[in-house]
Amino acid sequence: MKRAIIAIAALFMATPLAPSDLQETKTTLRAHVLKLINRDRQLYNLPPVQLDLPASALADTFCREQIRTGTTGHFGTDGFSPYMRYSFGGGNDGVSENAAAWSANYTFTQRALYEMSRRSQDAMMAEMAPDDGHKKTILDPHANYVGIGLAWEKGEFRLSHEFIRRYVDWKRSLPRNARVDQLVLAAGRPLHGTRIEAITVHHERAPESMSAFVANSIHRYSLPDKRKEYVPRLPRQVRRRHDGSIEISRQEYADGRRGDFHIGEDGSFSFPIPFTEGPGVYTVVVWVRKPGIENAIAASNVSIRVEGALQSVRASAAGR
């Protein structure tokens, strides 16, 4: 779960940036934020994250939209959660978001932008448990990329981090829209020496638009608790007896299951996504595990908007 930082700026009133300088400033400011993130990760002996430009572009759009609608935190007026927004924008990986907002009654200078970015980073890293969601996100040991969103206009500044866990090489593109009677196959291969631990499918109602007041009152987000877990099929054990006959036995999980999807010799998986809860949004999370690491890694947040069966849709349309 994450919380938003909202701050009131009172910094460096000076000549505003010229429009021709905006793109260059955004590029250098993004590099500055990345440097701050990796500085803090290094202090905790964590590997650096790389800048992800597509995720940064998506985050930029979100930050601009927040300024336009007067929203702060993790939600805009479209009602999309951060993982939906990333997925509907084309992202396939695990993602966790930090967000910061500043307001003032004057136009920000370049110096002010750098100072607000630094102060936002320092405030996140100064958090103490149990209210340290931003700090935990920055120090996610399994994050390997980050998108950095930036937008400023007049007296409004928005900053977001989209920390990405990229551990799956997807073999086919997953649709972002489907029907409950449609076969959608998730297929991929784990990266960086990881192996597939499980797949969870989370279900929730389709998001609805909301007012800026409601969006700003939501300080946390998480995947829905309503979910189903699917595990790899366990291999058969083949043993040759002394009399030359062959004995085949099947392994089972502790709950008696034998598994739900196949894992290939190279670790690749193929999984038909079940839309068992009817229409809504289904978010597919592939869990992988590194050798010697206790906790599994949430390596995807692929959200799919699912409508009713085609026959039902046609019947509804005919009845109008």
Side-chain angles (χ1 to χ4, degrees), residues 48-111:
V49 290
Q50 298 180 50
L51 182 65
D52 187 285
L53 291 177
S56 297
L58 287 173
D60 281 353
T61 299
F62 172 58
C63 290
R64 289 195 301 269
E65 187 66 13
Q66 283 210 309
I67 291 176
R68 188 187 69 81
T69 58
T71 52
T72 59
H74 299 291
F75 288 82
T77 55
D78 58 9
F80 287 1
S81 62
Y83 56 86
M84 286 186 195
R85 189 165 54 248
Y86 177 68
S87 180
F88 293 156
N92 293 313
D93 314 292
V95 65
S96 297
E97 179 179 270
N98 285 337
W102 294 72
S103 297
N105 58 2
Y106 56 83
T107 299
F108 295 128
T109 65
Q110 187 176 63
R111 185 182 176 191

Side-chain angles (χ1 to χ4, degrees), residues 262-284:
H262 176 70
I263 298 289
E265 292 184 3
D266 63 347
S268 61
F269 65 94
S270 180
F271 174 67
I273 304 170
F275 302 133
T276 57
E277 302 297 326
V281 174
Y282 291 76
T283 299
V284 180

Side-chain angles (χ1 to χ4, degrees), residues 124-133 135:
M124 293 177 186
M125 291 301 299
E127 293 173 344
M128 302 292 289
D131 296 320
D132 58 346
K135 182 178 180 180

Side-chain angles (χ1 to χ4, degrees), residues 209-230:
S209 59
M210 60 179 71
S211 67
F213 176 81
V214 172
N216 293 343
S217 68
I218 305 174
H219 302 302
R220 300 174 184 269
Y221 77 92
S222 63
L223 284 165
D225 293 331
K226 190 174 186 179
R227 72 176 200 174
K228 291 186 177 180
E229 182 181 69
Y230 304 89

